[in-house]
Amino acid sequence: MLLCLAVLLPPGLTPRRVRYDRRYRTLDKYRFIVGFLALPLAFYVLFVISPFLQAIYYSFTDWSGGPVANFVGFDNYRKMWNDERFWDSLEVSVLLLVVAPLLTLVLGMFFAYMITAGGRHRRGQAIAGVVGSSFYKVVYFFPQVLSVAIIAVVWGRVFNTNSGLINGGLDKAGVDGPAWLGGDQTLGLLSLLIVISWSFIGFYVVLFSAAMGAIPKDIYEAALLDGAGRARTFFSVTLPLIWDTVRTGWIYMGIQALDTFAICLVMVPSHVLKVTPVFLYERFRDGQYGYATSIGVVLLVLSMAFSVIVMRAGNRDRIEY
């Protein structure tokens, strides 16, 4: 074997020299990668990892904003464990964590499928979206360009009990509208859920439309030839092929729902409904910085646990096409 290799190699190039050159090229490649990523990683550690570590440290102190932060161990976490207001806010946040991604992703996939492959057959096109699909993409994505504060203010006026758009329409129909944001926690949670889904659904319509558009048309045409309808095509073809995108969107939407702050703070009165980020903000406002950072650490752990659960539960064999 070595004799054959020696015959094939150029003069002066031995098998040992070949192994050495390959090792050198590999080392040189890794040096280039490390040198290229060193500065971005340094900025990431400085501006992302370092604040997380500082927050974890301050969660074990009685820091109140001054130069002194005394170490108090798990006192903040014990205080949190016995705080009923924290558990009430966490209950609302967990409900949003479960329901908001489900509602938003289901609607986003439905609209994306109709835009991409849910239209009637056209001449020369076996698979096509509904008429005006490009216009619908713009309309659905429009809330993404609006400020969260503007969204909260506008929808707060819409849900206003006396002069809101919804109750105004119900009054004209002879129906007394409910007090959406007047004191009932269930109606307040429903209102918040509607606004969250409305504000994020456009992003997932565009995301899922891009994923569905990457699926070869031949696969859809083969499903049509086999007699599959729209529902069967979606569940048997489209959903398995975009599952990685759905799982990623599920994690992202769950974190967004858990981190609902501005919409709840501006739109929903604090006596009606309070999510954990708003409860955290109030502790900062009261100067309880150590206690507030401990709440932030719990939200961080909850977000990571949610991501791991979704990754594990949604783990499937990757389908290549």
Side-chain angles (χ1 to χ4, degrees), residues 15-81:
R16 182 178 299 178
R17 181 63 180 275
V18 171
R19 290 195 298 269
Y20 176 79
D21 289 345
R22 289 177 178 174
R23 189 181 307 169
Y24 180 79
R25 286 196 297 268
T26 302
L27 182 61
D28 189 57
K29 179 181 68 174
Y30 284 119
R31 285 178 179 173
F32 172 77
I33 294 174
V34 172
F36 187 77
L37 295 179
L39 186 60
L41 285 176
F43 277 101
Y44 183 80
V45 171
L46 178 63
F47 294 108
V48 178
I49 302 300
S50 176
F52 277 112
L53 297 178
Q54 293 180 32
I56 294 173
Y57 166 74
Y58 283 121
S59 69
F60 294 100
T61 67
D62 62 351
W63 185 43
S64 60
V68 179
N70 298 315
F71 186 81
V72 295
F74 289 93
D75 286 355
N76 289 324
Y77 294 95
R78 281 192 286 266
K79 179 180 178 181
M80 189 191 317
W81 180 264

Side-chain angles (χ1 to χ4, degrees), residues 32-319:
F32 172 77
I33 294 174
V34 172
F36 187 77
L37 295 179
L39 186 60
L41 285 176
F43 277 101
Y44 183 80
V45 171
L46 178 63
F47 294 108
V48 178
I49 302 300
S50 176
F52 277 112
L53 297 178
Q54 293 180 32
I56 294 173
Y57 166 74
Y58 283 121
S59 69
F60 294 100
T61 67
D62 62 351
W63 185 43
S64 60
V68 179
N70 298 315
F71 186 81
V72 295
F74 289 93
D75 286 355
N76 289 324
Y77 294 95
R78 281 192 286 266
K79 179 180 178 181
M80 189 191 317
W81 180 264
N82 297 317
D83 195 339
E84 294 184 0
R85 296 173 301 171
F86 165 75
W87 289 109
D88 291 340
S89 67
L90 186 63
E91 181 181 358
V92 177
S93 294
V94 171
L95 283 173
L96 292 176
L97 176 65
V98 174
V99 180
L102 182 64
L103 178 62
T104 306
L105 267 63
V106 167
L107 291 176
M109 281 189 286
F110 172 75
F111 292 137
Y113 183 70
M114 296 304 294
I115 288 174
T116 306
R120 295 182 177 180
H121 305 312
R122 302 173 191 171
R123 182 176 300 177
Q125 284 185 311
I127 303 299
V130 296
V131 178
S133 57
S134 299
F135 172 74
Y136 291 139
K137 286 183 182 180
V138 176
V139 172
Y140 291 141
F141 194 76
F142 177 72
Q144 289 292 309
V145 303
L146 297 177
S147 169
V148 177
I150 293 176
I151 292 174
V153 170
V154 171
W155 277 98
R157 297 294 181 89
V158 171
F159 285 115
N160 188 278
T161 304
N162 300 319
S163 59
L165 180 64
I166 296 178
N167 283 357
L170 293 175
D171 290 341
K172 291 183 179 180
V175 179
D176 293 333
W180 296 95
L181 305 175
D184 187 86
Q185 184 174 358
T186 303
L187 290 177
L189 181 61
L190 178 61
S191 304
L192 184 60
L193 182 63
I194 291 173
V195 177
I196 292 174
S197 298
W198 179 86
S199 59
F200 284 102
I201 194 171
F203 172 80
Y204 292 100
V205 169
V206 175
L207 178 66
F208 294 146
S209 297
M212 294 177 188
I215 299 175
K217 301 296 183 183
D218 296 343
I219 299 178
Y220 282 121
E221 293 174 358
L224 291 176
L225 291 175
D226 289 339
R230 284 195 180 96
R232 183 62 182 274
T233 302
F234 174 78
F235 287 105
S236 299
V237 177
T238 305
L239 185 58
L241 293 178
I242 67 168
W243 182 250
D244 288 343
T245 305
V246 173
R247 185 175 59 177
T248 303
W250 192 359
I251 294 174
Y252 179 73
M253 185 60 211
I255 295 175
Q256 291 294 327
L258 189 64
D259 193 33
T260 301
F261 170 73
I263 293 178
C264 185
L265 181 67
V266 175
M267 187 184 77
V268 184
S270 59
H271 68 278
V272 175
L273 193 69
K274 189 177 297 181
V275 295
T276 306
V278 174
F279 181 73
L280 183 153
Y281 162 74
E282 291 178 349
R283 305 288 76 75
F284 266 112
R285 185 187 59 191
D286 297 339
Q288 305 176 33
Y289 296 157
Y291 185 38
T293 52
S294 65
I295 299 173
V297 171
V298 171
L299 286 176
L300 171 64
V301 173
L302 187 59
S303 301
M304 295 177 64
F306 171 77
S307 302
V308 172
I309 291 173
V310 172
M311 292 293 291
R312 294 287 186 179
N315 190 22
R316 296 185 180 181
D317 292 335
R318 186 178 182 87
I319 301 176

